[in-house]
Amino acid sequence: MHSLWLALAFDLLSNFRLLIPTILCHCCSGLIGRSWAMVFASGGYTVKIYDNQPGQSAKAITEIRKQLEELEEAHMLRGQLKASQQLNLISSHDDLAQALEGAFFVQECVFEQLEVKQSIFQDLERLVGNNVILSSSTSCLVPSSVFSKVHNKSRCLVSHPVNPPYYVKLVELVPHPETVMAVMDAAYALMTKVGQVPVRLKREIDGFAVNRVQAAIISESWRLVKDDVISVKDIDLVMSEGLGMRYAFIGPMETIHLNAPEGMEDYMKRYGEGITRLLNSFGPTPDFSGEEAKSVISEMLELIPNSQQHLSARKERRDLLLMSLAKLKKDH
């Protein structure tokens, strides 16, 4: 076993923070926090879970036990340890200072409210040594904002997972302007060790990389449906049965490199002008609320009603498919 302590901390209802010491995880009982705990335990690290509401961390472990057992039964459990061995690495704590003992890495996973995150990192900095890495799971707040009240910003970064992290292994590592390279290297090594696939951003930018690319896809898809060019059902098929088939294994840059006889430069000589023409025709950013959005939303609800029964069933289907895809990628 690695001498790594991970403490999960829950804060306000189902919101949480993930801290990693020798790993400490400060998180809530939500999907992202539980997934982080499972990911680190799969790598053989000890995980400490902290919650400021007594009993919540214990409930999280109960849910984690269920998930680990189901994954083992489906032969999709990550790591070399059995489910029972991984579960034994995870413990719950009601005292934050105690949970942070021995920490070298802290991963926060609370809801996306800037003031709450800033307060959390102020508390953490007060309780840990200067060599402890402070990391946030935020998906939409830049590091310079999240860590603005931290004194030693050189050890701070964002480690943004893709939902659900246990099946989708990508993690974006985003530095604060003052983050030192050694911290980025350590986070990269840790994420790689536990089986995630980290990517480094060279500097912070709103939305990071994942959400900027995702926003571009959502924007044009929304426009095409709103302008009555294509249906909601069919635009989803454009991705799931078209672009997504190859993007699951190779990215957009390699795709264009392979789609011309002599590679990327040849591709752009052939198609660059046409791509520019299309981009210039995209139009303004869509209105995602109000009257313009009603027809798009209505069409989606006809396909999948927003009741918990229907949404839960589709999420379960999504996770099963992601499990199968993850296994296929691992085997190839």
Side-chain angles (χ1 to χ4, degrees), residues 83-157:
S84 59
Q85 293 175 307
Q86 294 187 24
L87 187 65
N88 287 337
L89 293 172
I90 307 173
S91 60
S92 60
H93 299 264
D94 292 329
D95 182 85
L96 178 57
Q98 182 186 58
L100 283 163
E101 290 179 1
F104 75 81
F105 189 97
V106 175
Q107 182 72 29
E108 165 272 319
C109 306
V110 300
F111 54 95
E112 299 285 14
Q113 185 172 330
L114 179 59
E115 293 77 13
V116 173
K117 290 181 182 289
Q118 290 173 333
S119 176
I120 287 168
F121 282 109
Q122 280 184 299
D123 291 341
L124 291 173
E125 185 175 43
R126 182 170 47 84
L127 293 170
V128 300
N130 287 328
N131 62 335
V132 176
I133 297 173
L134 302 181
S135 176
S136 174
S137 294
T138 182
S139 63
C140 63
L141 301 171
V142 294
S144 58
S145 295
V146 173
F147 302 110
S148 62
K149 297 185 179 181
V150 173
H151 293 293
N152 179 12
K153 300 177 178 64
S154 66
R155 40 85 172 268
C156 299
L157 79 157

Side-chain angles (χ1 to χ4, degrees), residues 49 55 187 190 237 262 274 313:
I49 299 178
L190 173 62
L237 289 173
E262 297 180 20

Side-chain angles (χ1 to χ4, degrees), residues 21-60:
T22 308
I23 293 181
L24 171 66
C25 183
H26 186 316
C27 58
C28 75
S29 53
L31 172 64
I32 300 298
R34 294 197 307 268
S35 293
W36 269 126
M38 291 163 59
V39 164
F40 288 122
S42 75
Y45 293 105
T46 301
V47 179
K48 290 184 178 181
I49 299 178
Y50 162 80
D51 195 304
N52 64 2
Q53 297 186 29
Q56 290 303 307
S57 57
K59 290 180 180 178

Side-chain angles (χ1 to χ4, degrees), residues 77-249:
L77 187 69
R78 290 174 55 172
Q80 301 300 312
L81 303 176
K82 296 179 180 179
S84 59
Q85 293 175 307
Q86 294 187 24
L87 187 65
N88 287 337
L89 293 172
I90 307 173
S91 60
S92 60
H93 299 264
D94 292 329
D95 182 85
L96 178 57
Q98 182 186 58
L100 283 163
E101 290 179 1
F104 75 81
F105 189 97
V106 175
Q107 182 72 29
E108 165 272 319
C109 306
V110 300
F111 54 95
E112 299 285 14
Q113 185 172 330
L114 179 59
E115 293 77 13
V116 173
K117 290 181 182 289
Q118 290 173 333
S119 176
I120 287 168
F121 282 109
Q122 280 184 299
D123 291 341
L124 291 173
E125 185 175 43
R126 182 170 47 84
L127 293 170
V128 300
N130 287 328
N131 62 335
V132 176
I133 297 173
L134 302 181
S135 176
S136 174
S137 294
T138 182
S139 63
C140 63
L141 301 171
V142 294
S144 58
S145 295
V146 173
F147 302 110
S148 62
K149 297 185 179 181
V150 173
H151 293 293
N152 179 12
K153 300 177 178 64
S154 66
R155 40 85 172 268
C156 299
L157 79 157
V158 165
S159 301
H160 171 228
V162 179
N163 188 28
Y166 197 85
Y167 309 125
V168 184
K169 297 182 179 182
L170 186 83
V171 181
E172 293 182 289
L173 303 181
V174 188
H176 182 280
E178 298 179 28
T179 303
V180 298
M181 186 58 65
V183 167
M184 295 292 288
D185 291 343
Y188 190 96
L190 173 62
M191 296 302 170
T192 303
K193 179 67 177 177
V194 297
Q196 298 301 94
V197 179
V199 295
R200 304 174 191 244
L201 271 68
K202 298 176 182 179
R203 60 181 176 86
E204 68 175 25
I205 186 171
D206 190 17
F208 315 144
V210 168
N211 282 327
R212 291 181 75 89
V213 172
Q214 180 173 248
I217 294 170
I218 291 172
S219 178
E220 182 57 15
S221 298
W222 192 280
R223 273 192 297 261
L224 290 171
V225 173
K226 180 184 69 67
D227 293 344
D228 202 27
V229 174
I230 195 170
S231 67
V232 166
K233 179 181 178 180
D234 284 350
I235 194 62
D236 274 358
L237 289 173
V238 166
M239 181 59 70
S240 64
E241 299 297 328
L243 295 174
M245 294 290 287
R246 58 192 181 196
Y247 285 172
F249 297 93

